[in-house]
Amino acid sequence: MLKVTRRGSVQHVRELSSQEDHALRWAFGRFAVPEARADGATVVARYQRSGAGCWFLCDCLGRVDQPPALIPVSEAHVRRHHEPPWPDHDPDCDFFRDRAEQRLITRSYRRPAVGKRLALVASLKDHEEARVPRLTARSYGRSRGALATTLMHLIETALVNVIPADGQKPALSDQYRVLRRAARNLQIDDGLALSGFLCTYLPALPDFIAKIQDTSPSCFRKTHRPHGLLIAVVADASVGHIRPLRGEPIPVRGEIAIFGEREGHSRQTAAERRARSPYLAACVVGRAAADTPVEVLKAYLHPCVTAGHLMLVDSDLERRTLAVLVQLQTWLRERKALRVTIKKPVFDLPEIAGGLLLEDGQSSGPCIPDFVVQATDVMEGGSEKLIVETMGYADEVYRDRKARTHTLMSEALGGAPVVQHDFHFPLDQIQVARDRRFWLECRWILRGLGQGATAGAVRRR
């Protein structure tokens, strides 16, 4: 919740009302909407005229002596204060970026154009991968890079992000096989298929490195830089290393980016990162410079369901949501002869969710449902499609933003209902009861039973 204080001071601080906080976020935050500007300006004018003037303080960094500040300007808007000693906002905070910057971030989650060449490395002269090793966090509040986009493209093309109606999960070797098959349609360089420079068997990494070492730069006509992609399940990472499920840590020269869904008001601890394990890792293998050996240059890690199931998830809570959905899928198939598939979308939904709204001057985060359940041969009154969202935070700001995103998701998927798997509300229920409630709501909507009685619950925040 935003706070207000005397201009330039961190003394005599008090919280804004939830209505004032809401008005400022929707008027001037990264997800701002034009129609909220007037309400936000009213709040700004009220406090800019108070005494010698006031500033707004943000709690996105937690309890710190010097929180990030927002300065009222012209009684109409605010600006982020960057000069020392005032710190930047958390990268996932509503006020870390403005509306235009958020639009650029959202575009990075679109599905890449067909036939587009991958850009996993730059030319050797840029020495991008020669920087010191570092561990960075990734979330939907930040842009998705080329390495993560490549992994998502392979996952989606290979249908590894789908649990079919029969509930059968392919063996791990078969999942890697379809990933290699999908890589035939991606170019790692001009006229060069990714499948020829893809390794999905970690013990074969030394041989893969030797292959890249022996490849002539002339084969890579665009970059003149032989390189390849390693995809494997790993347990965790630390600065300079990724840790396999078995065996010795693998050195990584540059950045290791780890995806973990979080809010600007929360800190990601090492324990939380371990709870998201295992991860599916995509690693670029090549030379950092012309006179250096072939090595792992950088890596992107994204949580997967299990070490034997490469379907991606955004959090450990999503694993629990998926487990309930799989139970429901089995029950509907065996008891009611209703076949449903479960999909984990990995790219921004079609234009109605992202492009059209952005063109109208609004900003939206990536519109990517946690899961989409698709049914066939439903009864009259049943829904063929269901959007499932894991509600992992109790924070009011998070839930307010989710409510808007859920509307966009529903519009993008033809009015499909949204069901929330809540891990916080109702407060008087234990999680087993919430899980059961979620199971029943999904069942009733898919089968068309009791839909009127549950309509309010489906949309409840």
Side-chain angles (χ1 to χ4, degrees), residues 193-347:
L194 172 62
S195 55
F197 292 88
L198 175 65
C199 177
T200 58
Y201 184 54
L202 203 52
L205 179 58
D207 294 335
F208 187 54
I209 289 175
K211 175 181 179 178
I212 296 173
Q213 183 105 22
D214 295 339
T215 300
S216 171
S218 62
C219 295
F220 285 73
R221 293 179 292 184
K222 183 69 175 180
T223 61
H224 304 289
R225 186 179 181 185
H227 61 281
L229 185 66
L230 166 69
I231 296 180
V233 176
V234 301
D236 201 0
S238 57
V239 176
H241 293 86
I242 54 176
R243 184 167 60 86
L245 297 175
R246 292 176 295 276
E248 296 298 316
I250 299 172
V252 179
R253 183 183 185 99
E255 180 188 41
I256 302 174
I258 304 180
F259 185 92
E261 186 180 45
R262 57 181 292 271
E263 282 299 292
H265 298 70
S266 65
R267 309 268 65 78
Q268 178 172 275
T269 65
E272 289 171 333
R273 196 175 69 241
R274 286 192 295 271
R276 296 189 179 101
S277 180
Y279 295 91
L280 188 61
C283 311
V284 175
V285 181
R287 285 187 173 90
D291 57 350
T292 61
V294 175
E295 58 191 326
V296 178
L297 299 176
K298 55 187 176 182
Y300 172 78
L301 277 59
H302 200 110
C304 58
V305 177
T306 66
H309 190 184
L310 304 184
M311 184 182 204
L312 302 180
V313 290
D314 295 342
S315 65
D316 190 48
L317 295 183
E318 276 195 14
R319 291 190 180 103
R320 295 164 65 178
T321 297
L322 180 61
V324 177
L325 290 176
V326 169
Q327 291 173 357
L328 176 63
Q329 180 190 51
T330 302
W331 188 89
L332 289 173
R333 182 179 64 250
E334 296 180 353
R335 298 287 190 89
K336 303 298 177 182
L338 180 61
R339 296 171 61 83
V340 302
T341 60
I342 304 169
K343 180 178 181 179
K344 169 65 177 174
V346 294
F347 289 111

Side-chain angles (χ1 to χ4, degrees), residues 10 78 111 141 186 231 246 256 324 350 376 416 424 455:
V10 291
V78 297
R111 183 178 289 101
L186 291 180
I231 296 180
R246 292 176 295 276
I256 302 174
V324 177
T376 56
H424 297 277

